[in-house]
Amino acid sequence: MDRNTILAIALTMLIFSLYQSVFVVPKKMEALKKSQIVQNKDLVRKPSEFIPATTLEQSKTTSPDIKEKITTLKTTNVEIELSNVGGSLHNFILQGEEKTLPIDNSLTLKGFEKSPFLLISKNENSATYSYSNSDWKITKRFEIKEDNSVSLKVLISNLNKTSRLETFEFKGLAIDSSNIDIKNNKSTMLFELSVLENNKITRKGNAYKFNVKDNKLNNAKVEWVGFRDHYHAIVVKPEFETKAYENKMVSENKLDVNIQAKEREIPSGETSEYTFTVVAGNQDITWLKSYKKSFDRIVAFSGWWIIDICSKGVYYTIPVLHSICRSWGLSIILVSLLIYGITYPLTIKSMASMKKMQMVQPKVAALQQKYKDNPQKLNSEMIDLYKREGVNPLGGCLPFLLQMPIFMALYQALWRAYYFQGKGFLWIKDLAQPDRLIILPKSLPFLGNEINILPVVMGAVMFLQQNLSAKNMVVTDETQAMQQKMMRYFFPVFIAFIFYHFASGLSLYFTVFYSLSTWTQWKMGTGKGVAVTGSVSAAK
């Protein structure tokens, strides 16, 4: 393996690392930049055509001294907590999970966020709250279902003697990351807020820390608003016609997503109904599709369509392999074999091209020495040499670069795949976590309190591959020899460093993949692999 290919591989690994910290969240769609941003005055509720002096804002009743009471509803898979303060969805808890989704009191009505709602009925699957003042009676009925969905029906009755024309605003989601240990939780970089508006998705990455730049007011038809972390997602869909939404920073760790309904006239004594559907669970594309409400669109592995398509291909393939072999770890090995088989022609072409480049290096060095004072003549002679010998200077790197989207896609799919959670393989207890062969009593710099063996094995494989490459490399000067020696030791350490705290499933895949690559390198070096063809004459 020559220096260019080593650098190409190093670049790929570096991209993996940067992709995790910078680009893992898909890029914001161009539509967000072009969306119509309006001023607050454009979303201020229109004065009633029938009661010009009184508005919903003026009729609100709040009490800072309300004692909060939490009501819990459970199903087999989920548990929700409801609060009497604002009649809100206080929390959404996934059964069997150590943590909850970072949401706070959501689904409140603007102007009544702190109002004392009375719990008027409750059974195993539903709870109903009510609040009223001189102008309005608000009834909120929550119902939880076995499919991890929650239905909220909001009934707003006009107690005035005249009709009202109102634009009601609801807090669709309230994100609160204040209780998350951000410094020790690398998955927070995967927190993402999504809004499906006008059939296009806008996304905000790193949705755990907010500033005034995140404030946004858009005129748009809102299909749903959603939030996802490493493996889970929650989606809130208004089942009524909307006209706008607002992202509003509350604090550095809190952001509200408000949904504004289209104006409605509510005659005296009449009731207007607003319904929401809420789902939460693993980022299971098939399950989210089953609702037929475009919830599955919250799952994206990349903003680059080619990587997203490849990632979803891997995402769907692994469960199929698991249904055959009944082992998630073995499924990763099988998909590694499958991908290596698909990319094998490119790998062979790359290795053959590198070998041909090595064979012609003595002639290149001779030309460089002969025409060292004439760069133009040197370039001309080298071009003639490459044509005569049938060598493409980019032939070694180009096939590998073509594989980079596949590698990135695998990286995303294996890192985000929820079905690896809690699944063991050999000594690995959880494929979604580092393999943690040994737990140390004390924490060490970089290593922490765990010894992860898979990244070390991967580094050892890369070291072997570098040594095989060095044996077949023709070194023409001391500088090249020094670079080769440095890469031989630096690259394996670099690989182990990058992957040390990654999920063991991801490390398992690349350990197998690079073991196969090393085997092919050995076959090529011993002449047992694919023969190098072309017109390269032996250097003598």
Side-chain angles (χ1 to χ4, degrees):
M1 184 178 293
D2 69 358
R3 179 163 55 99
N4 288 337
T5 301
I6 293 170
L7 292 174
I9 297 174
L11 176 62
T12 301
M13 293 300 103
L14 182 59
I15 289 174
F16 286 158
S17 178
L18 292 175
Y19 205 67
Q20 175 186 2
S21 60
V22 180
F23 300 112
V24 69
V25 181
K27 295 179 179 179
K28 294 182 179 180
M29 298 182 67
E30 190 66 23
L32 177 59
K33 298 178 181 179
K34 298 180 180 180
S35 61
Q36 183 180 6
I37 309 301
V38 298
Q39 301 299 320
N40 286 340
K41 63 181 181 180
D42 295 326
L43 288 182
V44 172
R45 187 171 296 102
K46 295 180 180 179
S48 172
E49 298 177 5
F50 305 96
I51 306 181
T54 306
T55 67
L56 180 62
E57 290 294 323
Q58 294 170 322
S59 64
K60 67 182 180 181
T61 301
T62 61
S63 173
D65 301 322
I66 301 174
K67 184 177 181 180
E68 186 173 42
K69 296 180 181 179
I70 301 297
T71 299
T72 301
L73 302 179
K74 294 182 180 180
T75 65
T76 305
N77 300 315
V78 297
E79 173 182 335
I80 62 171
E81 293 179 347
L82 307 175
S83 171
N84 63 313
V85 180
S88 66
L89 175 62
H90 178 69
N91 205 355
F92 209 124
I93 304 168
L94 303 176
Q95 295 293 344
E97 300 291 337
E98 295 180 357
K99 63 180 181 62
T100 60
L101 289 160
I103 65 168
D104 197 9
N105 293 332
S106 302
L107 297 174
T108 56
L109 178 62
K110 185 175 182 180
F112 298 89
E113 300 94 332
K114 300 296 182 180
S115 297
F117 279 71
L118 177 67
L119 179 64
I120 58 176
S121 68
K122 178 185 179 300
N123 56 36
E124 293 182 356
N125 305 111
S126 66
T128 302
Y129 288 87
S130 181
Y131 170 80
S132 62
N133 59 20
S134 59
D135 296 314
W136 304 98
K137 178 180 180 181
I138 304 169
T139 304
K140 304 178 73 173
R141 185 177 189 274
F142 293 88
E143 182 179 2
I144 189 170
K145 302 176 182 178
E146 285 293 339
D147 62 355
N148 286 27
S149 70
V150 175
S151 174
L152 169 61
K153 183 180 292 185
V154 182
L155 303 175
I156 303 177
S157 302
N158 181 9
L159 303 183
N160 284 275
K161 295 181 180 180
T162 53
S163 294
R164 301 288 296 265
L165 181 66
E166 287 290 346
T167 299
F168 294 107
E169 186 170 302
F170 300 87
K171 185 189 299 183
L173 272 181
I175 302 172
D176 182 1
S177 64
S178 58
N179 293 324
I180 296 176
D181 184 3
I182 295 174
K183 291 183 179 180
N184 298 316
N185 187 351
K186 292 184 178 180
S187 66
T188 53
M189 66 183 65
L190 297 178
F191 285 12
E192 181 181 274
L193 170 66
S194 302
V195 180
L196 179 58
E197 52 167 313
N198 297 333
N199 202 34
K200 294 181 181 180
I201 294 182
T202 60
R203 303 179 188 271
K204 180 212 160 15
N206 297 319
Y208 64 90
K209 190 174 182 179
F210 310 101
N211 56 53
V212 293
K213 293 181 180 179
D214 294 314
N215 289 335
K216 187 175 287 137
L217 217 55
N218 282 13
N219 276 329
K221 178 183 178 182
V222 180
E223 297 290 337
W224 51 252
V225 298
F227 172 87
R228 63 176 181 150
D229 58 15
H230 197 162
Y231 298 114
H232 313 106
I234 181 169
V235 184
V236 176
K237 178 176 176 58
E239 304 283 3
F240 51 86
E241 192 171 359
T242 61
K243 63 177 291 186
Y245 77 93
E246 175 189 25
N247 292 345
K248 183 178 181 181
M249 174 197 174
V250 179
S251 69
E252 185 180 40
N253 302 113
K254 296 182 180 181
L255 180 83
D256 291 344
V257 184
N258 301 315
I259 301 171
Q260 190 179 66
K262 192 173 182 180
E263 297 91 343
R264 288 188 187 180
E265 179 185 342
I266 308 178
S268 175
E270 297 295 322
T271 299
S272 185
E273 179 179 313
Y274 298 85
T275 302
F276 291 88
T277 298
V278 185
V279 299
N282 291 320
Q283 291 184 48
D284 182 343
I285 298 176
T286 302
W287 165 65
L288 291 169
K289 274 186 176 180
S290 67
Y291 290 96
K292 299 181 180 179
K293 297 178 182 288
S294 299
F295 293 159
D296 57 292
R297 293 180 64 181
I298 194 174
V299 182
F301 294 97
S302 174
W304 300 341
W305 66 270
I306 184 65
I307 296 178
D308 192 52
I309 290 175
C310 292
S311 295
K312 288 179 178 177
V314 174
Y315 171 89
Y316 284 116
T317 299
I318 291 178
V320 173
L321 295 174
H322 176 262
S323 68
I324 298 172
C325 65
R326 312 307 300 175
S327 167
W328 290 106
L330 188 56
S331 299
I332 294 175
I333 294 175
L334 290 176
V335 82
S336 181
L337 291 169
L338 178 63
I339 297 299
Y340 191 78
I342 293 173
T343 60
Y344 184 75
L346 287 174
T347 302
I348 288 297
K349 186 175 181 180
S350 177
M351 289 183 176
S353 182
M354 288 187 293
K355 195 166 186 178
K356 289 167 71 174
M357 278 294 296
Q358 285 301 308
M359 292 172 65
V360 84
Q361 280 306 302
K363 295 183 178 182
V364 171
L367 289 174
Q368 290 172 337
Q369 181 63 30
K370 184 177 180 178
Y371 300 107
K372 61 181 179 181
D373 297 326
N374 191 345
Q376 291 183 345
K377 182 64 173 176
L378 174 61
N379 290 336
S380 176
E381 289 293 327
M382 287 184 66
I383 291 173
D384 290 341
L385 174 65
Y386 289 146
K387 286 181 178 180
R388 185 168 61 252
E389 301 291 355
V391 174
N392 182 357
L394 299 178
C397 293
L398 187 58
F400 188 86
L401 293 174
L402 292 175
Q403 297 178 59
M404 286 177 61
I406 298 177
F407 291 162
M408 291 182 180
L410 285 161
Y411 169 82
Q412 285 296 302
L414 293 172
W415 195 26
R416 273 195 179 272
Y418 74 92
Y419 38 66
F420 291 136
Q421 285 184 282
K423 305 302 190 302
F425 181 66
L426 300 178
W427 74 90
I428 304 170
K429 294 182 179 180
D430 189 346
L431 287 165
Q433 300 293 330
D435 61 274
R436 294 168 180 162
L437 180 65
I438 300 173
I439 302 298
L440 303 174
K442 293 184 179 181
S443 182
L444 300 176
F446 177 70
L447 298 180
N449 67 337
E450 58 195 37
I451 300 297
N452 303 320
I453 193 64
L454 270 178
V456 177
V457 173
M458 189 190 308
V461 170
M462 297 307 300
F463 180 75
L464 176 60
Q465 189 177 56
Q466 293 302 304
N467 278 276
L468 289 174
S469 299
K471 289 181 180 180
N472 299 321
M473 183 171 288
V474 178
V475 180
T476 57
D477 56 60
E478 291 185 3
T479 302
Q480 188 179 19
M482 185 176 297
Q483 290 175 344
Q484 168 64 21
K485 185 175 181 180
M486 183 186 69
M487 290 301 296
R488 190 188 310 177
Y489 294 99
F490 167 77
F491 190 58
V493 174
F494 176 76
I495 290 292
F497 176 84
I498 291 296
F499 279 85
Y500 194 80
H501 292 293
F502 278 10
S504 54
L506 191 63
S507 297
L508 176 62
Y509 171 85
F510 280 103
T511 298
V512 174
F513 187 92
Y514 284 117
S515 295
L516 294 170
S517 179
T518 301
W519 175 78
T520 304
Q521 182 85 24
W522 175 78
K523 294 277 284 184
M524 291 286 292
T526 58
K528 298 179 181 180
V530 176
V532 177
T533 59
S535 61
V536 177
S537 56
K540 295 181 181 180

